[in-house]
Amino acid sequence: MSFICSLSGEAPAEPVVSTKTGRVYEKRLLQKYLDENRQREPQTDHELSSDDVIPIHRDPPTVKPRPPTLTSIPALLSTFQNEWDALVLETFSLKQQYQQVRQELSQALYQNDAACRVVARLMKERDDARQALATLQAQVSAFEAPVPQPSKPDVMDVDAGEESVVVDAVQAYYEKAAETAKTLSKSRVKREVPADLTSADAWKKAKESATIGSLHTTTKPGIISLDLDQSAALLLTGGNDNHAEVYSRTTDTVIGTLKGHTKRVTSALWLAGGGLSASIITASADKSVRLWTAKPANSEEGKDVRSMGWTKKNIIKHHTSEVVGLSIHPSAEYFASAAADGTWAVHETETGDVVVSGSLDSPLSQVAYHPDGVFLGLGTSDGFAKIFDLKQQQVLATLDVASTCESEEGRRVNGLHFSENGYYFATVTNTEVAVWDLRKQKKTQSWSLEDLSAERFVDARFDKSGKYLAVAAQDIHVFRVKGWLPLVTLPCADTLQILEWVGDLSTGIIAACLENSIHVYEPAAQ
């Protein structure tokens, strides 16, 4: 009896048989194959050990055939046949492996597609739940408290007289807000563009006219808040050094340093249009808001700078976390504050007393009054901008600014600004500036980093006429609102942080940077 090795196709010198498949192998070749293939039997997935292999004893032993000499046609045909068989077996093995890989890849792609569908469905359910919750909260608030009350101490500690005063203050605020809104909305309908408003052609030729340095301290550099008085002669800045400063462009000196906050000043604003005799309000990361009143020596004729300045009038500690922003009501009799924990409040400018307060379920990053003073714009750290009706105590619109951004810093709303036309609303994140039409609650225009060759966005502001929009990145981009036509790109420092328009006629732009410098830009003469 003769045997043929399943590996070599030749008669084995030491034949062995597998107890699992019954195949015959050359012992030497089988052992080498098993060592190289994790003890797996050739052409099967069976695990094969030495106990599963039985030697075959032949009597008489088979004489190994003489190898072909390849000198005859039969020998060549035999060799070709063997080579063909080996090639066919190898091709069959490769096809098996290829089919197995295809099946594994198909399974992986199916699982990935299923996971994406599940994630998309969960995100949609989350958004629907948020919207339903916001609607339910608004309905509950309207049902339980048609006339909202401000936050106050425990009712048990408030006597009837004090409670009556609080209600009167709330009613006075709503009456003042309604009166102001009525007056402003009427004037807005009849408002015409000033004849001497700086033209678009003049802005196309704008350039930097001055640079102001050495403001604030160098130990904690960075100007993060900027406000101008009506004449743009006095600049009010807030810095990372915990101070606010008043700089006079006329005398080129700092005429007042407001010290008292223990952490960075996140916002500093003039009251009643600003000026040497005007009060100032500041907010800080130390959770407080401070009111400052001008010293008696503050006058146009005053020459002794050392006698000028502002003194602390009141410290407001309503919030329990970092105060991220302030906004003045159009009547100038009230102002709003917002904190990182989602709380907001409306205060009287004279006393700092809280008139109305509330909170959102998202951390806040920005606050801005609507030009009519009835609504409050609130920017959140999770990528939303919300239009809040102060009287009805409910969110009228929720704008998804950047909630899908992967990074927490990318979702944060860094800037909010209403146009004087009352319906355009600009939002700023690190990666996008968008203009929303509040009538449709949709974006009407947006710019990405690629659109303006920018590294990050920091601010965007409409001018007082509502005809121009300035966008701050590492440069300042000025657009005409009609058609969103780009007018000019003004180079600035990479640390540009905030900007303001000059005057009602848009006669300039003033920008502040983190290296404690101020840059002034002016259009060409008309």
Side-chain angles (χ1 to χ4, degrees), residues 3-80:
F3 301 98
I4 300 298
C5 175
S6 296
L7 288 173
S8 64
E10 299 180 355
E14 294 182 68
V16 293
V17 62
S18 168
T19 60
K20 294 189 175 182
T21 61
R23 293 178 180 176
V24 177
Y25 301 96
E26 173 69 59
K27 181 178 181 180
R28 174 180 56 80
L29 293 177
L30 177 63
Q31 188 62 45
K32 184 176 181 181
Y33 182 89
L34 293 177
D35 292 342
E36 294 177 353
N37 293 274
R38 298 182 297 177
Q39 303 298 313
R40 298 286 181 179
E41 185 173 354
Q43 299 184 5
T44 69
D45 288 332
H46 300 305
E47 187 173 341
L48 197 66
S49 64
S50 57
D51 296 334
D52 298 324
V53 178
I54 301 175
I56 300 176
H57 300 284
R58 296 170 301 179
D59 190 21
T62 302
V63 178
K64 186 175 182 179
R66 182 177 300 175
T69 59
L70 303 180
T71 57
S72 63
I73 292 178
L76 288 172
L77 292 175
S78 175
T79 300
F80 292 156

Side-chain angles (χ1 to χ4, degrees), residues 191-230:
R191 188 184 64 169
E192 297 182 356
V193 178
D196 49 354
L197 178 70
T198 304
S199 67
D201 291 336
W203 270 111
K204 290 180 180 180
K205 301 176 182 179
K207 60 182 180 180
E208 185 172 359
S209 61
T211 301
I212 305 166
S214 302
L215 298 181
H216 292 267
T217 62
T218 57
T219 54
K220 293 181 179 180
I223 299 175
I224 57 178
S225 176
L226 174 65
D227 194 24
L228 314 180
D229 72 336
Q230 289 180 340

Side-chain angles (χ1 to χ4, degrees), residues 448-483:
S448 65
L449 295 176
E450 293 76 12
D451 293 336
L452 301 182
S453 301
E455 297 178 0
R456 67 183 181 97
F457 293 118
V458 294
D459 200 8
R461 292 184 180 269
F462 293 98
D463 71 329
K464 294 293 181 63
S465 70
K467 301 301 179 182
Y468 300 116
L469 174 70
V471 175
Q474 63 267 30
D475 299 324
I476 299 174
H477 305 268
V478 180
F479 297 87
R480 187 173 65 185
V481 171
K482 184 178 181 180

Side-chain angles (χ1 to χ4, degrees), residues 122-446:
L122 291 176
M123 290 180 65
K124 185 178 184 301
E125 291 177 355
R126 179 204 64 182
D127 295 340
D128 293 343
R130 281 180 174 177
Q131 187 65 31
L133 179 60
T135 304
L136 180 61
Q137 287 177 337
Q139 293 174 350
V140 171
S141 298
F143 178 76
E144 294 182 348
V147 178
Q149 301 294 329
S151 60
K152 52 183 181 290
D154 191 349
V155 175
M156 296 299 294
D157 298 332
V158 180
D159 58 30
E162 291 178 346
E163 189 171 358
S164 177
V165 171
V166 170
V167 173
D168 290 344
V170 174
Q171 189 62 32
Y173 168 71
Y174 289 130
E175 291 177 356
K176 186 63 178 180
E179 178 186 348
T180 303
K182 184 177 180 180
T183 302
L184 293 177
S185 60
K186 284 184 178 180
S187 62
R188 181 173 295 109
V189 173
K190 300 178 181 179
R191 188 184 64 169
E192 297 182 356
V193 178
D196 49 354
L197 178 70
T198 304
S199 67
D201 291 336
W203 270 111
K204 290 180 180 180
K205 301 176 182 179
K207 60 182 180 180
E208 185 172 359
S209 61
T211 301
I212 305 166
S214 302
L215 298 181
H216 292 267
T217 62
T218 57
T219 54
K220 293 181 179 180
I223 299 175
I224 57 178
S225 176
L226 174 65
D227 194 24
L228 314 180
D229 72 336
Q230 289 180 340
S231 66
L234 297 179
L235 309 184
L236 174 60
T237 60
N240 285 326
D241 59 357
N242 311 342
H243 302 156
E245 291 185 356
V246 179
Y247 171 82
S248 172
R249 296 175 63 193
T250 305
T251 61
D252 191 22
T253 56
V254 175
I255 61 175
T257 300
L258 286 60
K259 298 181 180 180
H261 287 294
T262 58
K263 293 185 179 180
R264 68 181 183 275
V265 177
T266 56
S267 183
L269 299 176
W270 289 106
L271 291 174
L276 290 173
S277 59
S279 298
I280 293 173
I281 179 174
T282 59
S284 170
D286 64 8
K287 309 175 186 178
S288 71
V289 176
R290 296 187 178 224
L291 295 175
W292 308 79
T293 185
K295 290 182 178 180
N298 287 13
S299 66
E300 297 291 346
E301 294 78 19
K303 296 182 179 180
D304 188 0
V305 176
R306 292 174 297 180
S307 64
M308 301 174 66
W310 283 258
T311 58
K312 179 185 65 179
K313 178 182 179 182
N314 197 1
I315 300 178
I316 306 168
K317 294 185 177 180
H318 172 76
H319 297 288
T320 58
S321 66
E322 173 183 349
V323 184
V324 296
L326 299 171
S327 183
I328 307 296
H329 189 270
S331 68
E333 296 182 14
Y334 302 91
F335 69 90
S337 62
D341 61 359
T343 60
W344 56 266
V346 175
H347 312 257
E348 293 180 349
T349 56
E350 184 64 27
T351 63
D353 293 340
V354 176
V355 179
V356 184
S357 64
S359 64
L360 297 182
D361 56 358
S362 300
L364 296 179
S365 59
Q366 292 289 323
V367 60
Y369 260 112
H370 185 271
D372 288 344
V374 177
F375 309 128
L376 202 61
L378 298 169
T380 71
S381 296
D382 55 4
F384 292 93
K386 301 187 179 184
I387 309 302
F388 193 84
D389 187 325
L390 290 168
K391 187 172 184 178
Q392 299 299 326
Q393 290 282 287
Q394 65 180 5
V395 176
L396 298 180
T398 299
L399 310 178
D400 189 346
V401 179
S403 65
T404 58
C405 185
E406 296 181 357
S407 68
E408 181 178 351
E409 187 65 25
R411 290 192 295 271
R412 176 185 171 90
V413 178
N414 295 324
L416 295 179
H417 197 250
F418 287 97
S419 171
E420 284 296 319
N421 63 20
Y423 54 85
Y424 277 163
F425 179 58
T427 60
V428 183
T429 66
N430 282 351
T431 57
E432 184 186 56
V433 171
V435 177
W436 302 76
D437 190 332
L438 296 181
R439 298 167 298 183
K440 304 175 182 178
Q441 298 185 23
K442 293 182 179 180
K443 290 181 185 178
T444 187
Q445 180 65 28
S446 64

Side-chain angles (χ1 to χ4, degrees), residues 76-137:
L76 288 172
L77 292 175
S78 175
T79 300
F80 292 156
Q81 183 65 48
N82 292 336
E83 291 293 337
W84 172 255
D85 293 344
L87 181 61
V88 169
L89 291 175
E90 183 180 3
T91 302
F92 176 74
S93 177
L94 289 176
K95 285 183 177 180
Q96 282 186 321
Q97 296 175 9
Y98 169 71
Q99 188 65 24
Q100 182 179 0
V101 170
R102 285 192 62 182
Q103 292 177 350
E104 293 176 355
L105 179 59
S106 299
Q107 182 69 15
L109 291 175
Y110 174 78
Q111 291 176 349
N112 179 73
D113 181 67
C116 291
R117 292 176 181 272
V118 170
V119 171
R121 178 175 56 82
L122 291 176
M123 290 180 65
K124 185 178 184 301
E125 291 177 355
R126 179 204 64 182
D127 295 340
D128 293 343
R130 281 180 174 177
Q131 187 65 31
L133 179 60
T135 304
L136 180 61
Q137 287 177 337

